[in-house]
mmCIF file of all heavy atoms in Angstrom:
data_model
loop_
_atom_site.group_PDB
_atom_site.id
_atom_site.type_symbol
_atom_site.label_atom_id
_atom_site.label_comp_id
_atom_site.label_asym_id
_atom_site.label_seq_id
_atom_site.Cartn_x
_atom_site.Cartn_y
_atom_site.Cartn_z
ATOM 1 N N SER B 374 31.645 -216.888 -79.206
ATOM 2 C CA SER B 374 31.153 -215.927 -78.220
ATOM 3 C C SER B 374 30.518 -216.685 -77.048
ATOM 4 O O SER B 374 29.708 -217.590 -77.259
ATOM 5 C CB SER B 374 30.126 -215.011 -78.903
ATOM 6 O OG SER B 374 29.079 -214.689 -78.026
ATOM 7 N N PHE B 375 30.881 -216.326 -75.820
ATOM 8 C CA PHE B 375 30.307 -217.004 -74.650
ATOM 9 C C PHE B 375 28.782 -216.916 -74.654
ATOM 10 O O PHE B 375 28.080 -217.866 -74.321
ATOM 11 C CB PHE B 375 30.820 -216.373 -73.355
ATOM 12 C CG PHE B 375 32.248 -216.728 -72.995
ATOM 13 C CD1 PHE B 375 32.833 -216.200 -71.852
ATOM 14 C CD2 PHE B 375 32.998 -217.588 -73.782
ATOM 15 C CE1 PHE B 375 34.140 -216.513 -71.498
ATOM 16 C CE2 PHE B 375 34.309 -217.911 -73.448
ATOM 17 C CZ PHE B 375 34.881 -217.360 -72.297
ATOM 18 N N GLU B 376 28.274 -215.733 -75.011
ATOM 19 C CA GLU B 376 26.822 -215.535 -74.944
ATOM 20 C C GLU B 376 26.095 -216.466 -75.898
ATOM 21 O O GLU B 376 25.112 -217.105 -75.541
ATOM 22 C CB GLU B 376 26.479 -214.088 -75.343
ATOM 23 C CG GLU B 376 26.898 -213.079 -74.319
ATOM 24 C CD GLU B 376 26.563 -211.671 -74.782
ATOM 25 O OE1 GLU B 376 25.381 -211.313 -74.769
ATOM 26 O OE2 GLU B 376 27.497 -210.963 -75.160
ATOM 27 N N LEU B 377 26.589 -216.527 -77.141
ATOM 28 C CA LEU B 377 25.898 -217.335 -78.138
ATOM 29 C C LEU B 377 26.150 -218.827 -77.912
ATOM 30 O O LEU B 377 25.299 -219.657 -78.200
ATOM 31 C CB LEU B 377 26.318 -216.902 -79.546
ATOM 32 C CG LEU B 377 26.011 -215.426 -79.838
ATOM 33 C CD1 LEU B 377 26.521 -215.024 -81.212
ATOM 34 C CD2 LEU B 377 24.518 -215.154 -79.745
ATOM 35 N N ARG B 378 27.328 -219.153 -77.356
ATOM 36 C CA ARG B 378 27.588 -220.549 -77.022
ATOM 37 C C ARG B 378 26.626 -220.996 -75.918
ATOM 38 O O ARG B 378 26.119 -222.118 -75.930
ATOM 39 C CB ARG B 378 29.041 -220.717 -76.550
ATOM 40 C CG ARG B 378 29.524 -222.155 -76.587
ATOM 41 C CD ARG B 378 30.906 -222.306 -75.953
ATOM 42 N NE ARG B 378 31.872 -221.361 -76.477
ATOM 43 C CZ ARG B 378 33.038 -221.089 -75.883
ATOM 44 N NH1 ARG B 378 33.366 -221.705 -74.753
ATOM 45 N NH2 ARG B 378 33.872 -220.206 -76.391
ATOM 46 N N ALA B 379 26.363 -220.098 -74.980
ATOM 47 C CA ALA B 379 25.408 -220.426 -73.911
ATOM 48 C C ALA B 379 24.020 -220.665 -74.501
ATOM 49 O O ALA B 379 23.286 -221.560 -74.059
ATOM 50 C CB ALA B 379 25.375 -219.300 -72.880
ATOM 51 N N ASP B 380 23.655 -219.897 -75.507
ATOM 52 C CA ASP B 380 22.359 -220.093 -76.168
ATOM 53 C C ASP B 380 22.264 -221.468 -76.815
ATOM 54 O O ASP B 380 21.250 -222.159 -76.698
ATOM 55 C CB ASP B 380 22.168 -219.040 -77.280
ATOM 56 C CG ASP B 380 21.344 -217.873 -76.795
ATOM 57 O OD1 ASP B 380 20.687 -218.007 -75.758
ATOM 58 O OD2 ASP B 380 21.372 -216.831 -77.461
ATOM 59 N N LEU B 381 23.355 -221.842 -77.526
ATOM 60 C CA LEU B 381 23.340 -223.136 -78.203
ATOM 61 C C LEU B 381 23.297 -224.266 -77.171
ATOM 62 O O LEU B 381 22.553 -225.239 -77.326
ATOM 63 C CB LEU B 381 24.575 -223.259 -79.111
ATOM 64 C CG LEU B 381 24.696 -224.548 -79.911
ATOM 65 C CD1 LEU B 381 23.465 -224.781 -80.782
ATOM 66 C CD2 LEU B 381 25.942 -224.525 -80.802
ATOM 67 N N CYS B 382 24.083 -224.115 -76.101
ATOM 68 C CA CYS B 382 24.062 -225.110 -75.017
ATOM 69 C C CYS B 382 22.647 -225.247 -74.458
ATOM 70 O O CYS B 382 22.181 -226.354 -74.170
ATOM 71 C CB CYS B 382 24.959 -224.640 -73.871
ATOM 72 S SG CYS B 382 26.557 -225.379 -73.851
ATOM 73 N N ALA B 383 21.979 -224.105 -74.296
ATOM 74 C CA ALA B 383 20.628 -224.112 -73.729
ATOM 75 C C ALA B 383 19.672 -224.846 -74.664
ATOM 76 O O ALA B 383 18.839 -225.640 -74.211
ATOM 77 C CB ALA B 383 20.155 -222.677 -73.491
ATOM 78 N N SER B 384 19.796 -224.614 -75.974
ATOM 79 C CA SER B 384 18.916 -225.321 -76.922
ATOM 80 C C SER B 384 19.182 -226.826 -76.864
ATOM 81 O O SER B 384 18.244 -227.627 -76.846
ATOM 82 C CB SER B 384 19.157 -224.829 -78.354
ATOM 83 O OG SER B 384 18.825 -223.467 -78.455
ATOM 84 N N LEU B 385 20.467 -227.204 -76.840
ATOM 85 C CA LEU B 385 20.798 -228.632 -76.799
ATOM 86 C C LEU B 385 20.290 -229.273 -75.507
ATOM 87 O O LEU B 385 19.829 -230.417 -75.503
ATOM 88 C CB LEU B 385 22.321 -228.819 -76.908
ATOM 89 C CG LEU B 385 22.932 -228.497 -78.275
ATOM 90 C CD1 LEU B 385 24.449 -228.351 -78.182
ATOM 91 C CD2 LEU B 385 22.573 -229.578 -79.301
ATOM 92 N N ALA B 386 20.370 -228.515 -74.406
ATOM 93 C CA ALA B 386 19.933 -229.057 -73.120
ATOM 94 C C ALA B 386 18.409 -229.091 -73.025
ATOM 95 O O ALA B 386 17.827 -230.095 -72.617
ATOM 96 C CB ALA B 386 20.516 -228.215 -71.986
ATOM 97 N N CYS B 387 17.764 -227.995 -73.412
ATOM 98 C CA CYS B 387 16.310 -227.892 -73.220
ATOM 99 C C CYS B 387 15.542 -228.755 -74.211
ATOM 100 O O CYS B 387 14.519 -229.331 -73.858
ATOM 101 C CB CYS B 387 15.848 -226.446 -73.371
ATOM 102 S SG CYS B 387 16.497 -225.348 -72.120
ATOM 103 N N TYR B 388 15.992 -228.823 -75.442
ATOM 104 C CA TYR B 388 15.190 -229.510 -76.458
ATOM 105 C C TYR B 388 15.594 -230.970 -76.648
ATOM 106 O O TYR B 388 14.787 -231.802 -77.034
ATOM 107 C CB TYR B 388 15.296 -228.798 -77.818
ATOM 108 C CG TYR B 388 14.887 -227.343 -77.779
ATOM 109 C CD1 TYR B 388 15.299 -226.459 -78.768
ATOM 110 C CD2 TYR B 388 14.085 -226.836 -76.765
ATOM 111 C CE1 TYR B 388 14.930 -225.124 -78.750
ATOM 112 C CE2 TYR B 388 13.719 -225.502 -76.727
ATOM 113 C CZ TYR B 388 14.149 -224.651 -77.717
ATOM 114 O OH TYR B 388 13.799 -223.330 -77.690
ATOM 115 N N LEU B 389 16.889 -231.269 -76.419
ATOM 116 C CA LEU B 389 17.368 -232.624 -76.716
ATOM 117 C C LEU B 389 17.933 -233.321 -75.489
ATOM 118 O O LEU B 389 18.303 -234.486 -75.568
ATOM 119 C CB LEU B 389 18.466 -232.557 -77.791
ATOM 120 C CG LEU B 389 18.106 -231.847 -79.096
ATOM 121 C CD1 LEU B 389 19.328 -231.704 -79.980
ATOM 122 C CD2 LEU B 389 17.020 -232.618 -79.828
ATOM 123 N N ASP B 390 18.025 -232.604 -74.375
ATOM 124 C CA ASP B 390 18.660 -233.129 -73.173
ATOM 125 C C ASP B 390 20.056 -233.672 -73.510
ATOM 126 O O ASP B 390 20.469 -234.715 -73.014
ATOM 127 C CB ASP B 390 17.787 -234.237 -72.549
ATOM 128 C CG ASP B 390 18.228 -234.523 -71.117
ATOM 129 O OD1 ASP B 390 18.980 -233.709 -70.552
ATOM 130 O OD2 ASP B 390 17.833 -235.576 -70.571
ATOM 131 N N ALA B 391 20.772 -232.952 -74.366
ATOM 132 C CA ALA B 391 22.085 -233.434 -74.797
ATOM 133 C C ALA B 391 23.062 -232.265 -74.962
ATOM 134 O O ALA B 391 23.578 -232.041 -76.066
ATOM 135 C CB ALA B 391 21.942 -234.201 -76.105
ATOM 136 N N PRO B 392 23.364 -231.518 -73.899
ATOM 137 C CA PRO B 392 24.270 -230.376 -74.065
ATOM 138 C C PRO B 392 25.673 -230.800 -74.484
ATOM 139 O O PRO B 392 26.404 -230.034 -75.092
ATOM 140 C CB PRO B 392 24.279 -229.719 -72.675
ATOM 141 C CG PRO B 392 23.839 -230.789 -71.735
ATOM 142 C CD PRO B 392 22.905 -231.661 -72.506
ATOM 143 N N GLY B 393 26.049 -232.054 -74.172
ATOM 144 C CA GLY B 393 27.370 -232.543 -74.550
ATOM 145 C C GLY B 393 27.570 -232.577 -76.061
ATOM 146 O O GLY B 393 28.708 -232.671 -76.540
ATOM 147 N N ARG B 394 26.471 -232.492 -76.813
ATOM 148 C CA ARG B 394 26.596 -232.489 -78.277
ATOM 149 C C ARG B 394 27.261 -231.224 -78.804
ATOM 150 O O ARG B 394 27.582 -231.151 -79.983
ATOM 151 C CB ARG B 394 25.203 -232.644 -78.910
ATOM 152 C CG ARG B 394 24.839 -234.106 -79.121
ATOM 153 C CD ARG B 394 23.468 -234.309 -79.710
ATOM 154 N NE ARG B 394 23.189 -233.531 -80.891
ATOM 155 C CZ ARG B 394 22.086 -233.682 -81.626
ATOM 156 N NH1 ARG B 394 21.198 -234.611 -81.277
ATOM 157 N NH2 ARG B 394 21.861 -232.931 -82.670
ATOM 158 N N LEU B 395 27.452 -230.250 -77.927
ATOM 159 C CA LEU B 395 28.130 -229.019 -78.351
ATOM 160 C C LEU B 395 29.448 -229.341 -79.062
ATOM 161 O O LEU B 395 29.818 -228.706 -80.038
ATOM 162 C CB LEU B 395 28.396 -228.132 -77.126
ATOM 163 C CG LEU B 395 29.078 -226.807 -77.377
ATOM 164 C CD1 LEU B 395 28.180 -225.876 -78.174
ATOM 165 C CD2 LEU B 395 29.462 -226.124 -76.057
ATOM 166 N N GLU B 396 30.163 -230.358 -78.548
ATOM 167 C CA GLU B 396 31.478 -230.678 -79.117
ATOM 168 C C GLU B 396 31.379 -231.358 -80.473
ATOM 169 O O GLU B 396 32.294 -231.262 -81.281
ATOM 170 C CB GLU B 396 32.240 -231.593 -78.168
ATOM 171 C CG GLU B 396 32.758 -230.868 -76.961
ATOM 172 C CD GLU B 396 33.894 -231.617 -76.300
ATOM 173 O OE1 GLU B 396 33.697 -232.766 -75.877
ATOM 174 O OE2 GLU B 396 34.979 -231.041 -76.230
ATOM 175 N N THR B 397 30.278 -232.066 -80.717
ATOM 176 C CA THR B 397 30.203 -232.844 -81.959
ATOM 177 C C THR B 397 29.305 -232.206 -83.010
ATOM 178 O O THR B 397 29.108 -232.776 -84.084
ATOM 179 C CB THR B 397 29.686 -234.270 -81.658
ATOM 180 O OG1 THR B 397 28.425 -234.141 -80.976
ATOM 181 C CG2 THR B 397 30.651 -235.039 -80.793
ATOM 182 N N GLU B 398 28.771 -231.039 -82.723
ATOM 183 C CA GLU B 398 27.883 -230.374 -83.688
ATOM 184 C C GLU B 398 28.523 -230.213 -85.068
ATOM 185 O O GLU B 398 27.880 -230.490 -86.079
ATOM 186 C CB GLU B 398 27.454 -229.006 -83.159
ATOM 187 C CG GLU B 398 26.295 -229.038 -82.183
ATOM 188 C CD GLU B 398 25.016 -229.489 -82.843
ATOM 189 O OE1 GLU B 398 24.353 -228.674 -83.503
ATOM 190 O OE2 GLU B 398 24.701 -230.679 -82.734
ATOM 191 N N PRO B 399 29.787 -229.776 -85.186
ATOM 192 C CA PRO B 399 30.354 -229.589 -86.523
ATOM 193 C C PRO B 399 30.275 -230.852 -87.371
ATOM 194 O O PRO B 399 29.995 -230.800 -88.562
ATOM 195 C CB PRO B 399 31.810 -229.199 -86.246
ATOM 196 C CG PRO B 399 31.784 -228.619 -84.880
ATOM 197 C CD PRO B 399 30.733 -229.380 -84.128
ATOM 198 N N GLN B 400 30.496 -232.009 -86.707
ATOM 199 C CA GLN B 400 30.476 -233.265 -87.460
ATOM 200 C C GLN B 400 29.115 -233.497 -88.109
ATOM 201 O O GLN B 400 29.018 -234.088 -89.178
ATOM 202 C CB GLN B 400 30.819 -234.414 -86.512
ATOM 203 C CG GLN B 400 31.229 -235.701 -87.201
ATOM 204 C CD GLN B 400 32.489 -235.531 -88.038
ATOM 205 O OE1 GLN B 400 33.484 -235.002 -87.564
ATOM 206 N NE2 GLN B 400 32.429 -235.951 -89.299
ATOM 207 N N ARG B 401 28.062 -233.014 -87.469
ATOM 208 C CA ARG B 401 26.711 -233.255 -88.003
ATOM 209 C C ARG B 401 26.466 -232.505 -89.309
ATOM 210 O O ARG B 401 25.579 -232.840 -90.063
ATOM 211 C CB ARG B 401 25.664 -232.881 -86.955
ATOM 212 C CG ARG B 401 25.680 -233.822 -85.796
ATOM 213 C CD ARG B 401 24.826 -233.373 -84.638
ATOM 214 N NE ARG B 401 25.305 -234.009 -83.426
ATOM 215 C CZ ARG B 401 24.989 -235.253 -83.060
ATOM 216 N NH1 ARG B 401 24.166 -235.951 -83.791
ATOM 217 N NH2 ARG B 401 25.496 -235.773 -81.969
ATOM 218 N N TYR B 402 27.247 -231.448 -89.535
ATOM 219 C CA TYR B 402 27.136 -230.754 -90.822
ATOM 220 C C TYR B 402 28.008 -231.438 -91.878
ATOM 221 O O TYR B 402 27.833 -231.224 -93.063
ATOM 222 C CB TYR B 402 27.589 -229.297 -90.691
ATOM 223 C CG TYR B 402 26.691 -228.445 -89.817
ATOM 224 C CD1 TYR B 402 27.078 -228.067 -88.536
ATOM 225 C CD2 TYR B 402 25.456 -228.016 -90.286
ATOM 226 C CE1 TYR B 402 26.268 -227.288 -87.744
ATOM 227 C CE2 TYR B 402 24.629 -227.237 -89.494
ATOM 228 C CZ TYR B 402 25.046 -226.880 -88.222
ATOM 229 O OH TYR B 402 24.226 -226.107 -87.447
ATOM 230 N N LEU B 403 29.005 -232.206 -91.405
ATOM 231 C CA LEU B 403 29.928 -232.825 -92.361
ATOM 232 C C LEU B 403 29.475 -234.217 -92.796
ATOM 233 O O LEU B 403 29.869 -234.709 -93.846
ATOM 234 C CB LEU B 403 31.327 -232.928 -91.732
ATOM 235 C CG LEU B 403 31.981 -231.587 -91.396
ATOM 236 C CD1 LEU B 403 33.273 -231.798 -90.615
ATOM 237 C CD2 LEU B 403 32.264 -230.811 -92.670
ATOM 238 N N ASN B 404 28.617 -234.861 -91.979
ATOM 239 C CA ASN B 404 28.226 -236.245 -92.265
ATOM 240 C C ASN B 404 27.387 -236.440 -93.530
ATOM 241 O O ASN B 404 27.663 -237.338 -94.317
ATOM 242 C CB ASN B 404 27.467 -236.828 -91.069
ATOM 243 C CG ASN B 404 28.405 -237.158 -89.920
ATOM 244 O OD1 ASN B 404 29.610 -237.303 -90.133
ATOM 245 N ND2 ASN B 404 27.870 -237.263 -88.723
ATOM 246 N N PRO B 405 26.342 -235.648 -93.766
ATOM 247 C CA PRO B 405 25.457 -235.971 -94.899
ATOM 248 C C PRO B 405 26.178 -235.895 -96.238
ATOM 249 O O PRO B 405 27.006 -235.003 -96.458
ATOM 250 C CB PRO B 405 24.371 -234.888 -94.820
ATOM 251 C CG PRO B 405 24.434 -234.358 -93.433
ATOM 252 C CD PRO B 405 25.861 -234.469 -93.021
ATOM 253 N N ASP B 406 25.874 -236.847 -97.103
ATOM 254 C CA ASP B 406 26.473 -236.801 -98.442
ATOM 255 C C ASP B 406 25.490 -236.183 -99.441
ATOM 256 O O ASP B 406 24.349 -235.856 -99.093
ATOM 257 C CB ASP B 406 26.935 -238.199 -98.892
ATOM 258 C CG ASP B 406 25.782 -239.189 -98.930
ATOM 259 O OD1 ASP B 406 24.612 -238.735 -98.950
ATOM 260 O OD2 ASP B 406 26.039 -240.407 -98.926
ATOM 261 N N VAL B 407 25.947 -236.062 -100.662
ATOM 262 C CA VAL B 407 25.156 -235.389 -101.691
ATOM 263 C C VAL B 407 23.793 -236.056 -101.881
ATOM 264 O O VAL B 407 22.759 -235.388 -101.990
ATOM 265 C CB VAL B 407 25.956 -235.392 -103.023
ATOM 266 C CG1 VAL B 407 25.070 -235.046 -104.188
ATOM 267 C CG2 VAL B 407 27.106 -234.421 -102.937
ATOM 268 N N ASP B 408 23.784 -237.396 -101.892
ATOM 269 C CA ASP B 408 22.532 -238.108 -102.151
ATOM 270 C C ASP B 408 21.509 -237.871 -101.034
ATOM 271 O O ASP B 408 20.311 -237.745 -101.288
ATOM 272 C CB ASP B 408 22.800 -239.615 -102.283
ATOM 273 C CG ASP B 408 23.617 -239.902 -103.541
ATOM 274 O OD1 ASP B 408 23.606 -239.038 -104.444
ATOM 275 O OD2 ASP B 408 24.269 -240.950 -103.587
ATOM 276 N N THR B 409 22.013 -237.811 -99.793
ATOM 277 C CA THR B 409 21.092 -237.619 -98.673
ATOM 278 C C THR B 409 20.446 -236.238 -98.736
ATOM 279 O O THR B 409 19.241 -236.077 -98.503
ATOM 280 C CB THR B 409 21.857 -237.775 -97.332
ATOM 281 O OG1 THR B 409 22.659 -238.933 -97.405
ATOM 282 C CG2 THR B 409 20.909 -237.876 -96.156
ATOM 283 N N VAL B 410 21.268 -235.237 -99.052
ATOM 284 C CA VAL B 410 20.714 -233.880 -99.134
ATOM 285 C C VAL B 410 19.737 -233.773 -100.308
ATOM 286 O O VAL B 410 18.662 -233.181 -100.208
ATOM 287 C CB VAL B 410 21.834 -232.821 -99.261
ATOM 288 C CG1 VAL B 410 21.242 -231.418 -99.325
ATOM 289 C CG2 VAL B 410 22.802 -232.913 -98.089
ATOM 290 N N ALA B 411 20.111 -234.417 -101.423
ATOM 291 C CA ALA B 411 19.241 -234.367 -102.611
ATOM 292 C C ALA B 411 17.904 -235.057 -102.316
ATOM 293 O O ALA B 411 16.842 -234.579 -102.741
ATOM 294 C CB ALA B 411 19.937 -235.024 -103.787
ATOM 295 N N ALA B 412 17.953 -236.161 -101.589
ATOM 296 C CA ALA B 412 16.711 -236.875 -101.264
ATOM 297 C C ALA B 412 15.832 -236.014 -100.358
ATOM 298 O O ALA B 412 14.602 -235.973 -100.511
ATOM 299 C CB ALA B 412 17.045 -238.201 -100.581
ATOM 300 N N PHE B 413 16.465 -235.313 -99.434
ATOM 301 C CA PHE B 413 15.695 -234.430 -98.547
ATOM 302 C C PHE B 413 15.036 -233.314 -99.367
ATOM 303 O O PHE B 413 13.855 -233.001 -99.182
ATOM 304 C CB PHE B 413 16.627 -233.827 -97.496
ATOM 305 C CG PHE B 413 15.946 -232.858 -96.578
ATOM 306 C CD1 PHE B 413 15.179 -233.309 -95.513
ATOM 307 C CD2 PHE B 413 16.046 -231.488 -96.785
ATOM 308 C CE1 PHE B 413 14.532 -232.416 -94.668
ATOM 309 C CE2 PHE B 413 15.401 -230.586 -95.953
ATOM 310 C CZ PHE B 413 14.646 -231.059 -94.891
ATOM 311 N N ALA B 414 15.802 -232.755 -100.309
ATOM 312 C CA ALA B 414 15.265 -231.673 -101.143
ATOM 313 C C ALA B 414 14.083 -232.174 -101.974
ATOM 314 O O ALA B 414 13.044 -231.507 -102.084
ATOM 315 C CB ALA B 414 16.359 -231.132 -102.058
ATOM 316 N N SER B 415 14.243 -233.351 -102.505
ATOM 317 C CA SER B 415 13.178 -233.901 -103.342
ATOM 318 C C SER B 415 11.917 -234.157 -102.505
ATOM 319 O O SER B 415 10.794 -233.903 -102.947
ATOM 320 C CB SER B 415 13.694 -235.192 -103.978
ATOM 321 O OG SER B 415 12.674 -235.813 -104.674
ATOM 322 N N GLY B 416 12.127 -234.646 -101.284
ATOM 323 C CA GLY B 416 10.982 -234.882 -100.387
ATOM 324 C C GLY B 416 10.242 -233.592 -100.091
ATOM 325 O O GLY B 416 9.000 -233.554 -100.008
ATOM 326 N N LEU B 417 10.993 -232.530 -99.950
ATOM 327 C CA LEU B 417 10.383 -231.219 -99.656
ATOM 328 C C LEU B 417 9.492 -230.791 -100.826
ATOM 329 O O LEU B 417 8.390 -230.278 -100.646
ATOM 330 C CB LEU B 417 11.525 -230.220 -99.484
ATOM 331 C CG LEU B 417 11.308 -229.014 -98.593
ATOM 332 C CD1 LEU B 417 10.940 -229.427 -97.192
ATOM 333 C CD2 LEU B 417 12.592 -228.172 -98.553
ATOM 334 N N ARG B 418 9.992 -231.053 -102.010
ATOM 335 C CA ARG B 418 9.269 -230.647 -103.213
ATOM 336 C C ARG B 418 7.906 -231.331 -103.289
ATOM 337 O O ARG B 418 6.941 -230.762 -103.810
ATOM 338 C CB ARG B 418 10.133 -231.030 -104.416
ATOM 339 C CG ARG B 418 9.595 -230.562 -105.719
ATOM 340 C CD ARG B 418 10.589 -230.821 -106.815
ATOM 341 N NE ARG B 418 9.899 -230.768 -108.083
ATOM 342 C CZ ARG B 418 9.698 -231.799 -108.875
ATOM 343 N NH1 ARG B 418 10.158 -232.987 -108.548
ATOM 344 N NH2 ARG B 418 9.044 -231.652 -110.014
ATOM 345 N N HIS B 419 7.831 -232.542 -102.755
ATOM 346 C CA HIS B 419 6.565 -233.277 -102.845
ATOM 347 C C HIS B 419 5.682 -233.081 -101.635
ATOM 348 O O HIS B 419 4.618 -233.686 -101.528
ATOM 349 C CB HIS B 419 6.862 -234.771 -103.054
ATOM 350 C CG HIS B 419 7.488 -235.032 -104.385
ATOM 351 N ND1 HIS B 419 8.810 -235.384 -104.538
ATOM 352 C CD2 HIS B 419 6.985 -234.914 -105.639
ATOM 353 C CE1 HIS B 419 9.087 -235.500 -105.825
ATOM 354 N NE2 HIS B 419 7.998 -235.215 -106.518
ATOM 355 N N LYS B 420 6.151 -232.252 -100.695
ATOM 356 C CA LYS B 420 5.309 -231.988 -99.513
ATOM 357 C C LYS B 420 4.138 -231.120 -99.941
ATOM 358 O O LYS B 420 4.344 -230.065 -100.551
ATOM 359 C CB LYS B 420 6.137 -231.226 -98.477
ATOM 360 C CG LYS B 420 6.514 -232.030 -97.270
ATOM 361 C CD LYS B 420 7.243 -231.158 -96.286
ATOM 362 C CE LYS B 420 6.884 -231.628 -94.896
ATOM 363 N NZ LYS B 420 7.625 -230.986 -93.866
ATOM 364 N N PRO B 421 2.912 -231.498 -99.611
ATOM 365 C CA PRO B 421 1.785 -230.694 -100.088
ATOM 366 C C PRO B 421 1.680 -229.332 -99.396
ATOM 367 O O PRO B 421 1.314 -228.345 -100.039
ATOM 368 C CB PRO B 421 0.565 -231.567 -99.760
ATOM 369 C CG PRO B 421 1.021 -232.508 -98.701
ATOM 370 C CD PRO B 421 2.488 -232.700 -98.880
ATOM 371 N N ALA B 422 2.012 -229.279 -98.104
ATOM 372 C CA ALA B 422 1.794 -228.021 -97.379
ATOM 373 C C ALA B 422 2.975 -227.081 -97.589
ATOM 374 O O ALA B 422 3.989 -227.167 -96.899
ATOM 375 C CB ALA B 422 1.606 -228.304 -95.897
ATOM 376 N N ARG B 423 2.825 -226.206 -98.543
ATOM 377 C CA ARG B 423 3.863 -225.225 -98.843
ATOM 378 C C ARG B 423 3.208 -223.858 -98.732
ATOM 379 O O ARG B 423 2.186 -223.605 -99.371
ATOM 380 C CB ARG B 423 4.365 -225.483 -100.260
ATOM 381 C CG ARG B 423 5.387 -224.498 -100.746
ATOM 382 C CD ARG B 423 5.662 -224.698 -102.215
ATOM 383 N NE ARG B 423 4.514 -224.302 -103.038
ATOM 384 C CZ ARG B 423 4.452 -224.421 -104.368
ATOM 385 N NH1 ARG B 423 5.457 -224.962 -105.011
ATOM 386 N NH2 ARG B 423 3.391 -224.027 -105.033
ATOM 387 N N ALA B 424 3.805 -223.001 -97.920
ATOM 388 C CA ALA B 424 3.201 -221.668 -97.746
ATOM 389 C C ALA B 424 3.841 -220.684 -98.716
ATOM 390 O O ALA B 424 5.070 -220.685 -98.882
ATOM 391 C CB ALA B 424 3.421 -221.191 -96.318
ATOM 392 N N THR B 425 3.025 -219.881 -99.368
ATOM 393 C CA THR B 425 3.578 -218.798 -100.188
ATOM 394 C C THR B 425 2.996 -217.483 -99.686
ATOM 395 O O THR B 425 1.785 -217.332 -99.557
ATOM 396 C CB THR B 425 3.247 -218.984 -101.682
ATOM 397 O OG1 THR B 425 1.851 -219.170 -101.813
ATOM 398 C CG2 THR B 425 3.967 -220.165 -102.270
ATOM 399 N N LEU B 426 3.895 -216.583 -99.403
ATOM 400 C CA LEU B 426 3.475 -215.300 -98.822
ATOM 401 C C LEU B 426 4.225 -214.169 -99.511
ATOM 402 O O LEU B 426 5.443 -214.235 -99.684
ATOM 403 C CB LEU B 426 3.809 -215.262 -97.325
ATOM 404 C CG LEU B 426 3.601 -213.900 -96.683
ATOM 405 C CD1 LEU B 426 2.141 -213.699 -96.329
ATOM 406 C CD2 LEU B 426 4.467 -213.720 -95.461
ATOM 407 N N SER B 427 3.512 -213.122 -99.873
ATOM 408 C CA SER B 427 4.175 -211.950 -100.455
ATOM 409 C C SER B 427 3.803 -210.693 -99.701
ATOM 410 O O SER B 427 2.634 -210.493 -99.355
ATOM 411 C CB SER B 427 3.750 -211.781 -101.920
ATOM 412 O OG SER B 427 4.236 -212.847 -102.685
#
Side-chain angles (χ1 to χ4, degrees):
Chain B
S374 143
F375 285 179
E376 289 179 73
L377 301 177
R378 198 187 309 164
D380 263 344
L381 181 57
C382 261
S384 297
L385 290 165
C387 295
Y388 303 160
L389 305 173
D390 196 14
R394 270 179 50 173
L395 181 67
E396 286 200 300
T397 56
E398 278 294 279
Q400 197 62 50
R401 291 171 203 278
Y402 293 105
L403 297 173
N404 285 340
D406 59 18
V407 165
D408 293 339
T409 313
V410 181
F413 177 80
S415 174
L417 208 58
R418 186 173 162 248
H419 293 108
K420 252 184 146 173
R423 177 189 70 183
T425 53
L426 171 82
S427 293

